Amino acid sequence: MSTTATDQQTAAGAGAGAAIHAELPPSARGDVWRRFRRNRGALVGLCIIGVAVLAAIFAPLITFYDPAQINPAISRQGPSLQHWFGVDLLGRDLYTRVVYGARVSLRVGFFATAIAVGIGLAVGAVSGYYQGWIETVTMRTTDIFLAFPYLLFAITIIVIVGRGELTVVLVLGLLGWMTIARLFRSSILSVKQTEYVEAARAVGCSDLRIIGRHILPNVIQPVIVYATLFIGGAILAEAALSFLNVGIAEPTPSWGLMVAQGRSFLFTSPHMLFAPGLALFLVVLSFVFMGDGLRDALDPRLR
Amino acid sequence: MGGYILRRLLHVIPVVWGAVTILFLLFFIVPGDPVQLMAGDRAVTPEVRANIEARFGLDKPWYVQYGDYLKRLATGDLGVSFRNNRSVNTILGEAAPASLRLAIWAIIIEVIVGISTGLVSAVKRYSFTDVLTTVSTAMLAAIPVFVLGAALQYFLGVYTFQHGFPDWARFPVQGIGPDTWTFFFIPTGSQWRYLVLPAFTLAAVSTAVVARMMRTTMLEVVRADYMRTAASKGLNRRQVVLKHGLKNAMIPVVTLIGLDLATLIGNALITETVYNWPGLGTRLLGAIVSRDAPIVLGITAILVLTYVLMNLLVDLSYSFFDPRIRYGKEATA
Amino acid sequence: MGQLRCRRAGQVLALVFVAILALAACGGGGGGGGGQTDTGGEAGTPVSGGDLIDLQNFAQGEPDHIEPGLSSTIQGSQPGELVWDGLTENDYKTGELKPMVAESWTNNPDATQFVFKLRKNVTWSDGTPVLPSDFVRGWNRVVQKQFASEVAYHFDPIKGKAEVDAGKAKTMSGLKADDANLTLTVDLAYPYSTFPTTTSHLVFSPIHKEVEKLKDQTKYEQGVMIGNGPYKLAEPWKHERYIKLVRNDNYWGGLNNHKPYLNSVEFRISKDVDSAFADFEAGTGQTGYIPPGRFAEVKAKYAGRVSDKSILGVYWWGFNMKDPMVGGAANLKLRQAIAYAIDKQAIVNSVYNGSRQVATALTPPGLPGYKEGLNPLGGGRDLNKAKQLLDEWGGAAKITKPIKLNFGAGAGHEPVATIIQANLKELGINAELAPGDTETYFTQMRQGKGQFLRSGWIWDYVSYDNGMYPLFHSNSIGGDNLVQYSNPKFDKLVDEARAEIDQAKANELYNQAEQTMLTDVAVVPLNWYTGQVAYSEQLKNVIQSPLDFFAYDEMWLQQ
């Protein structure tokens, strides 16, 4: 009824016309990859993220200092031969901290997104597939969470529960599932009535099977695109939280925290902001480009 | 249509109630101590503690406090701040207009700049303009708001002052200035100078997102059959794009603007802190950190209400953009 | 084809972005009228007129309260210091106690009664005379139960306060006002010779009888309060924006017998320290609070226009004296070793950017009674001595679990704790950072749950007692005596000092008490606070008090 109209627009809003997709067979994987490769921006993005992941994994091998090792005597010195990116307030090597920071930022990004996607798919599936009071309750709950000013909620929870990586990941994930749920739900609604789903039901497939094997592959595209963008968003959100002093705490080297601290010294020791800032910027940018590339690659109509 | 609106308005109640309850539980389930926070480093003697708790009803069990709060909320009374006993309604009255004005301008910028650049870059796909827009919007979306703010403050505020730039090139670094407005949101006198930096900083990320979304949906629309039909009818490019394409592309964009409001509010918090804009954001941050529950609950209730109403407006606007969509009795299942 | 353009455009934009950042790096050193040899202290004859915009006092946010009965922070009390004059005042330059509204006072031999004689010519800003009953009204007002004031503890020495606290009385019986003879008699609950010094605190201000019309006393500070000081409120407190004061034309003249020079002082309220200072650098105001990380650079750039006098505040880490691992007489040598191992200079240089002074004792210089060399350990770093003492104590192996470094999270103490951790590592001692939730941190420390804990102290008044009694007397355990220090010798010295009328003798006793505490190594004082304010060329005669107040009534703006 009226809510259907809203949700159909939401689906369209992700630029993914799910209803139309249901009429096409799922794209062959090789096809998608070839289209993706043609988008130079997305490819560059993928490379940068690849580098970041590798750096995170092999961090001890490519750095020469302990990220927690302090040296107050050379506090805030700029880039030099011994310290490629310079040092921070306590004299810790910034190159080392930026490399280790990749671990933290990528972890936060991936896990927060994983949580958001997990919850989002579950809630979206339930509210899209089942009618009646289940649908109403889940929709109202989604509305409540959506209406919450996200940053405010995040800050409140963290202030109350305590700072730390786990809290930040949980909070970002718990506040990001709503859009995915809505997207997924709209897609399901559009697809539910199609012939192959009816056929599956006629044959006797269980609900879960129908959702998992027949609906999901057709409607996963907008979720994939959104999730990719969400990773970048989560990494940025962690930076914002650190700026407001409720993010990841010292002495963990997180890019967000380093950028927030570096901001105070923007004009006196710019390297403190520049190194982690550039890393943050490039990685988030990469996710943005990758999201673009995925969207174009997964939607044959745009080619 | 009227019935639809009424029904949607009724939905507001459980949403606001749900949000307030969740927060309330957060504050009371986890042990906290606003009294000690108020005192800072110093010891709080038992007498003082007892006095403060008695005044704010903090010594009652949490469900009693919850009940009291809901009762007051129903009458519109948001309670008093733990820190200085001022009525939350008064505090909100002071702070809300400033935030509202900033938000309105950010949305105006977001809509105008975002939609037009998205439109242009979609229509002239792969041209230099398109590439410039795509890359710059991507970059804007990747810069943390507080870094952008700090950079603008420095280059347009401090640097221009210290190197003797002419008056028109210098912007205030922080503050709301004279706080003079007409028609609620039009700045008068020198007010606009104080508005520029915060509004653009706040709008930056959202503008980038809107522009990108506009481009994407416009590209989709441009390839649609009805566009080819319109072109083959002999309409010129501009008419085709504006009359037929734009309206259809607007729906997802308008949706996005509505959904983006939550992000806007979050970024407003940061922008207001950096630029010292005395709005809800700055009050909120101080209140959260001091566990001043009444203010946090009050501001949250207002923000939630605003968000829900905004989305109602967004949904209603669909019928303007897409005549196929009707609400209420005429709706198709 | 399009993709190629995309990449090139992207590269161009990236280059532009890099260029902008590089410009920022160079532009950061750009000058703005620096390096005058003007000391700002003396500079010609005062000029009447001008409006001051102050960006330093509230650079870190809005205070909770500003009125005498409720304000508990220095920044919150600054406007009040200009709006009310109390019985006494501490000279901003020397710290010496001067008579203010009281022209003289006498005391009885055992320091349990003080009689203040008020001046005849002091008036409120509305012209009515200031009487002893105004003081009694103000003081009684603060201790009322429903007022729930956090600063009522200042009145503890006064007889009758305990009864008010217990709900048995409405006013303090120890206060007697004789308006006809302009005398105020104060009876104390115990001997306390520095009582007159405490009356210089804002909380002891007189309050105008207009306050009796109010039903809810907490609303007083939301309106225009009448005071007897050099300035008066121009308009009610504009929350989150500013507090504006204008010259009080009915001012009695003060100690230097002149009305203030500046027409008005507007205290702007900021939210973010960096933005507030940027605003000062952009010329919006004449004073600015220097952000912690920029102290050295600003001091160089604004040479001669930085107020960095010593403030009566100390930053220390202390041992929980009841802890079996670090406390008590048995572990004295361990504490000494740790005290010698901490690199205070490195902390001051890196974390505080030079804006603090390394502390060799607890009480800072600038406090009357300060004596050098009280600390038997000297106060500096000596790694060899540290190692030696550690071995004498039993060696690092004797420490079974890592020592906990307790501090409140999110308040900027992590870097300090990190440095201390590294310092201890050099001795072979393992320490772990134990940040506590800011809300519950002090409560937990009070309950004795810490081991090596961070705290600080800002003096309430310019009195030696204020740093000794609340922090280290055994009566203060459970209060501000976070280190659970209990030494009968210390207690006796302080009690005697409190009863000693002769201030010079009293200070000697306090010296001995402090030495006792430092010999026991109950705390390791790390640094003393200093001022962190920069001001513009036009502002003259900037005087900062030991309590970090500024004498706005002595400043003027050169036109």
Side-chain angles (χ1 to χ4, degrees):
Chain A
M1 305 219 292
S2 49
T3 39
T4 312
T6 318
D7 298 305
Q8 265 180 351
Q9 306 322 317
T10 316
I20 300 169
H21 274 166
E23 288 157 12
L24 298 172
S27 320
R29 269 216 216 120
D31 232 6
V32 172
W33 172 240
R34 234 180 306 129
R35 279 200 291 272
F36 184 85
R37 246 182 0 188
R38 276 201 256 149
N39 184 334
R40 292 296 180 90
L43 213 50
V44 168
L46 189 61
C47 294
I48 293 181
I49 294 175
V51 166
V53 171
L54 286 174
I57 297 176
F58 295 109
L61 297 178
I62 55 172
T63 56
F64 319 107
Y65 295 88
D66 185 334
Q69 183 187 348
I70 63 173
N71 189 353
I74 55 169
S75 171
R76 289 167 51 196
Q77 261 180 25
S80 64
L81 277 177
Q82 299 94 354
H83 299 280
W84 295 350
F85 288 173
V87 295
D88 71 356
L89 186 66
L90 291 182
R92 295 178 291 203
D93 179 49
L94 276 177
Y95 168 68
T96 310
R97 287 178 70 79
V98 168
V99 170
Y100 275 87
R103 290 188 168 179
V104 177
S105 294
L106 288 175
R107 268 204 308 256
V108 169
F110 282 126
F111 284 116
T113 308
I115 293 177
V117 169
I119 301 180
L121 285 181
V123 173
V126 162
S127 72
Y129 200 72
Y130 298 105
Q131 304 280 45
W133 66 270
I134 297 183
E135 181 195 1
T136 321
V137 164
T138 41
M139 283 308 289
R140 284 308 94 163
T141 316
T142 313
D143 279 344
I144 293 178
F145 272 85
L146 263 177
F148 248 110
Y150 127 84
L151 206 62
L152 145 68
F153 201 36
I155 298 173
T156 311
I157 296 184
I158 293 177
V159 164
I160 291 177
V161 173
R163 297 171 72 175
E165 194 179 319
L166 183 63
T167 320
V168 171
V169 166
L170 278 175
V171 165
L172 292 179
L174 286 173
L175 297 177
W177 58 266
M178 296 85 71
T179 311
I180 295 179
R182 277 249 188 115
L183 276 179
F184 199 45
R185 176 195 139 94
S186 331
S187 304
I188 288 185
L189 285 176
S190 331
V191 159
K192 220 165 54 165
Q193 313 297 101
T194 56
E195 286 132 0
Y196 60 89
V197 170
E198 296 226 356
R201 213 183 283 129
V203 167
C205 290
S206 74
D207 286 341
L208 198 62
R209 193 140 185 211
I210 294 179
I211 295 179
R213 289 198 62 197
H214 295 276
I215 300 186
L216 193 64
N218 286 318
V219 303
I220 201 69
Q221 284 95 330
V223 175
I224 291 182
V225 174
Y226 185 80
T228 310
L229 295 170
F230 190 82
I231 299 181
I235 296 181
L236 268 184
E238 187 263 310
L241 289 174
S242 297
F243 168 68
L244 294 171
N245 251 323
V246 289
I248 295 186
E250 281 271 11
T252 317
S254 99
W255 289 340
L257 191 58
M258 288 191 270
V259 169
Q261 289 170 336
R263 176 194 160 249
S264 306
F265 302 101
L266 178 53
F267 312 113
T268 51
S269 312
H271 65 277
M272 283 176 68
L273 172 64
F274 189 72
L278 197 61
L280 188 73
F281 176 71
L282 286 178
V283 167
V284 173
L285 196 63
S286 303
F287 278 108
V288 171
F289 279 142
M290 259 185 65
D292 276 359
L294 276 173
R295 178 190 296 138
D296 288 352
L298 290 170
D299 184 359
R301 291 192 313 138
L302 287 183
R303 284 284 145 191
Chain B
M1 186 71 141
Y4 173 75
I5 296 182
L6 198 62
R7 249 178 301 139
R8 285 293 297 268
L9 283 175
L10 280 178
H11 280 157
V12 166
I13 299 178
V15 173
V16 173
W17 170 83
V20 167
T21 305
I22 291 178
L23 263 189
F24 203 92
L25 289 176
L26 265 181
F27 271 104
F28 286 92
I29 284 183
V30 184
D33 195 354
V35 178
Q36 180 57 62
L37 276 180
M38 279 191 262
D41 288 14
R42 299 207 81 116
V44 179
T45 60
E47 298 93 34
V48 174
R49 177 175 289 277
N51 290 342
I52 296 181
E53 286 183 353
R55 131 159 299 142
F56 294 110
L58 290 177
D59 44 357
K60 303 200 194 109
W62 70 267
Y63 44 88
V64 174
Q65 294 189 48
Y66 179 59
D68 286 342
Y69 187 80
L70 282 186
K71 255 186 270 166
R72 279 198 306 259
L73 190 61
T75 61
D77 174 12
L78 294 169
V80 293
S81 155
F82 284 165
R83 280 173 299 168
N84 52 22
N85 210 30
R86 294 184 73 212
S87 145
V88 178
N89 293 51
T90 315
I91 295 176
L92 285 188
E94 280 173 8
S99 283
L100 214 53
R101 288 164 175 145
L102 189 61
I104 289 177
W105 280 100
I107 292 179
I108 291 178
I109 295 174
E110 176 188 340
V111 165
I112 295 180
V113 176
I115 290 182
S116 50
T117 47
L119 197 61
V120 165
S121 80
V123 164
K124 294 187 191 295
R125 198 179 180 202
Y126 293 139
S127 68
F128 175 70
T129 328
D130 175 28
V131 162
L132 182 69
T133 316
T134 315
V135 177
S136 59
T137 51
M139 284 171 55
L140 268 181
I143 299 182
V145 174
F146 56 94
V147 173
L148 184 64
L152 286 177
Q153 269 177 330
Y154 180 75
F155 287 115
L156 296 178
V158 180
Y159 190 82
T160 48
F161 168 72
Q162 289 181 339
H163 291 75
F165 277 47
D167 254 358
W168 56 263
R170 290 169 43 195
F171 288 93
V173 168
Q174 61 160 11
I176 194 174
D179 203 15
T180 53
W181 312 80
T182 66
F183 293 119
F184 186 72
F185 72 97
I186 314 273
T188 59
S190 63
Q191 180 64 55
W192 71 273
R193 314 195 110 249
Y194 289 85
L195 182 61
V196 167
L197 291 189
F200 272 97
T201 307
L202 181 57
V205 173
S206 299
T207 308
V209 172
V210 167
R212 299 164 63 70
M213 170 60 79
M214 188 74 215
R215 177 178 181 273
T216 309
T217 55
M218 203 55 201
L219 283 178
E220 233 180 80
V221 157
V222 150
R223 292 207 172 353
D225 291 340
Y226 57 83
M227 292 291 279
R228 268 203 298 251
T229 313
S232 65
K233 279 203 295 196
L235 296 170
N236 70 33
R237 191 99 193 275
R238 162 133 39 108
Q239 278 179 309
V240 170
V241 165
L242 290 180
K243 270 194 75 180
H244 293 273
L246 189 58
K247 263 197 177 175
N248 284 290
M250 280 304 289
I251 293 174
V253 173
V254 166
T255 310
L256 182 72
I257 293 178
L259 282 175
D260 194 53
L261 195 65
T263 317
L264 197 75
I265 293 177
N267 284 336
L269 199 79
I270 300 178
T271 311
E272 286 182 17
T273 305
V274 171
Y275 286 102
N276 196 23
W277 190 265
L280 293 175
T282 47
R283 307 285 181 138
L284 196 51
L285 206 50
I288 294 177
V289 171
S290 326
R291 301 279 213 114
D292 195 347
I295 294 194
V296 179
L297 291 169
I299 294 185
T300 304
I302 299 292
L303 289 177
V304 166
L305 196 65
T306 310
Y307 180 81
V308 172
L309 288 176
M310 264 294 279
N311 272 281
L312 177 58
L313 276 176
V314 164
D315 281 355
L316 288 177
S317 74
Y318 288 154
S319 38
F320 171 69
F321 290 118
D322 185 351
R324 292 177 298 171
I325 296 174
R326 282 279 172 266
Y327 298 106
K329 294 207 182 67
E330 309 104 62
T332 48
Chain C
M1 237 291 264
Q3 285 90 340
L4 206 59
R5 276 227 193 109
C6 171
R7 196 170 61 184
R8 243 191 287 142
Q11 285 173 345
V12 168
L13 272 157
L15 273 170
V16 170
F17 186 66
V18 170
I20 292 178
L21 277 178
L23 207 66
C26 312
Q36 280 243 346
T37 47
D38 179 26
T39 56
E42 326 80 40
T45 43
V47 169
S48 198
D51 300 290
L52 178 71
I53 307 253
D54 174 281
L55 285 164
Q56 67 88 11
N57 194 50
F58 293 122
Q60 291 170 311
E62 168 155 290
D64 287 340
H65 303 289
I66 57 170
E67 70 132 293
L70 292 172
S71 172
S72 59
T73 61
I74 302 276
Q75 293 82 19
S77 301
Q78 173 70 79
E81 289 283 323
L82 297 169
V83 172
W84 286 275
D85 274 352
L87 288 173
T88 60
E89 179 172 279
N90 289 104
D91 185 291
Y92 275 32
K93 282 201 187 131
T94 64
E96 193 192 325
L97 187 67
K98 295 264 172 68
M100 194 72 164
V101 174
E103 63 181 10
S104 65
W105 57 89
T106 60
N107 53 270
N108 65 355
D110 57 355
T112 54
Q113 188 191 76
F114 287 85
V115 180
F116 296 87
K117 181 99 172 51
L118 269 57
R119 288 179 209 267
K120 289 195 197 45
N121 59 333
V122 181
T123 60
W124 293 102
S125 62
D126 66 357
T128 56
V130 172
L131 303 169
S133 53
D134 292 324
F135 284 91
V136 173
R137 175 187 308 117
W139 299 7
N140 272 326
R141 175 174 174 267
V142 180
V143 301
Q144 298 305 307
K145 282 179 96 59
Q146 61 270 32
F147 198 48
S149 167
E150 284 161 26
V151 289
Y153 66 87
H154 288 283
F155 297 98
D156 281 348
I158 298 184
K159 188 179 200 180
K161 168 148 193 299
E163 282 78 10
V164 175
D165 285 344
K168 297 207 198 96
K170 279 274 160 167
T171 58
M172 294 184 278
S173 55
L175 300 177
K176 288 183 205 54
D178 183 353
D179 286 349
N181 293 319
L182 286 180
T183 60
L184 173 64
T185 311
V186 183
D187 285 304
L188 302 178
Y190 48 80
Y192 189 39
S193 62
T194 44
F195 179 72
T197 312
T198 70
T199 61
S200 63
H201 193 281
L202 185 67
V203 77
F204 286 91
S205 298
I207 297 289
H208 192 275
K209 66 176 182 299
E210 65 173 351
V211 101
E212 286 163 10
K213 288 185 253 157
L214 278 176
K215 261 199 303 185
D216 183 357
Q217 291 296 310
T218 63
K219 298 283 185 267
Y220 190 38
E221 61 187 354
Q222 307 301 333
V224 177
M225 302 177 274
I226 299 180
N228 62 335
Y231 285 94
K232 62 182 181 186
L233 281 164
E235 45 178 286
W237 179 359
K238 260 254 165 9
H239 286 274
E240 305 276 343
R241 297 196 50 200
Y242 60 82
I243 294 177
K244 188 156 181 189
L245 308 178
V246 290
R247 187 194 292 118
N248 173 10
D249 292 306
N250 282 327
Y251 187 51
W252 60 282
L255 292 177
N256 297 328
N257 208 12
H258 68 86
K259 300 229 188 353
Y261 307 116
L262 295 167
N263 287 344
S264 72
V265 180
E266 184 175 313
F267 292 100
R268 292 268 171 98
I269 301 174
S270 303
K271 250 307 176 266
D272 174 65
V273 175
D274 293 301
S275 300
F277 195 71
D279 210 8
F280 163 70
E281 289 186 294
T284 310
Q286 288 81 26
T287 60
Y289 177 76
I290 307 173
R294 297 183 59 183
F295 188 76
E297 164 234 336
V298 169
K299 192 159 172 197
K301 195 157 114 179
Y302 290 81
R305 294 190 279 128
V306 168
S307 180
D308 59 348
K309 251 177 70 181
S310 191
I311 297 176
L312 291 179
V314 60
Y315 183 93
W316 51 261
W317 284 69
F319 298 94
N320 178 356
M321 296 302 270
K322 298 226 167 87
D323 182 274
M325 180 60 66
V326 301
N331 299 316
L332 176 64
K333 292 225 164 123
L334 173 63
R335 296 198 294 279
Q336 287 174 335
I338 293 179
Y340 273 121
I342 297 182
D343 193 348
K344 303 180 188 179
Q345 191 64 56
I347 293 176
V348 164
N349 288 347
S350 61
V351 180
Y352 298 105
N353 201 224
S355 70
R356 300 267 177 101
Q357 230 184 324
V358 170
T360 49
L362 186 97
T363 307
L367 190 71
Y370 169 76
K371 190 168 156 196
E372 277 214 32
L374 284 179
N375 191 348
L377 297 179
R381 184 176 207 222
D382 192 333
L383 210 51
N384 290 326
K385 265 217 185 101
K387 290 197 176 123
Q388 187 191 343
L389 285 159
L390 182 63
D391 286 332
E392 284 175 30
W393 175 72
K398 200 169 150 193
I399 301 175
T400 46
K401 284 192 294 187
I403 295 194
K404 281 190 289 177
L405 302 176
N406 305 89
F407 58 95
H413 308 298
E414 284 92 350
V416 178
T418 313
I419 295 181
I420 294 180
Q421 185 186 37
N423 292 154
L424 293 182
K425 202 74 205 273
E426 291 181 69
L427 284 183
I429 299 178
N430 275 335
E432 64 179 14
L433 269 64
D437 186 15
T438 2
E439 277 178 82
T440 50
Y441 174 67
F442 284 104
T443 317
Q444 301 219 315
M445 294 305 110
R446 259 166 220 132
Q447 290 165 355
K449 298 205 175 119
Q451 207 170 28
F452 190 39
L453 49 123
R454 125 54 235 174
S455 188
W457 186 255
I458 310 253
W459 268 247
D460 289 325
Y461 355 92
V462 185
S463 88
Y464 211 131
D465 180 82
N466 189 247
M468 293 288 108
Y469 185 87
L471 289 180
F472 303 110
H473 197 283
S474 55
N475 285 350
S476 306
I477 295 184
D480 288 309
N481 184 347
L482 297 178
V483 290
Q484 323 286 320
Y485 183 64
S486 176
N487 183 335
K489 182 170 164 212
F490 179 90
D491 287 353
K492 185 154 171 288
L493 285 164
V494 170
D495 291 337
E496 273 176 29
R498 288 188 138 196
E500 174 58 66
I501 299 286
D502 182 337
Q503 286 309 299
K505 287 215 192 90
N507 285 337
E508 268 174 35
L509 289 164
Y510 282 123
N511 286 150
Q512 291 177 39
E514 180 169 351
Q515 189 163 49
T516 311
M517 184 277 295
L518 288 170
T519 310
D520 285 337
V521 195
V523 302
V524 182
L526 290 186
N527 49 65
W528 290 312
Y529 295 3
T530 60
Q532 279 182 244
V533 170
Y535 50 92
S536 71
E537 281 179 84
Q538 289 83 23
L539 196 58
K540 302 297 180 201
N541 205 24
V542 175
I543 306 172
Q544 174 203 318
S545 85
L547 293 172
D548 204 16
F549 290 119
F550 282 86
Y552 289 90
D553 50 333
E554 301 289 342
M555 299 179 197
W556 67 87
L557 277 172
Q558 196 136 73
Q559 308 299 340

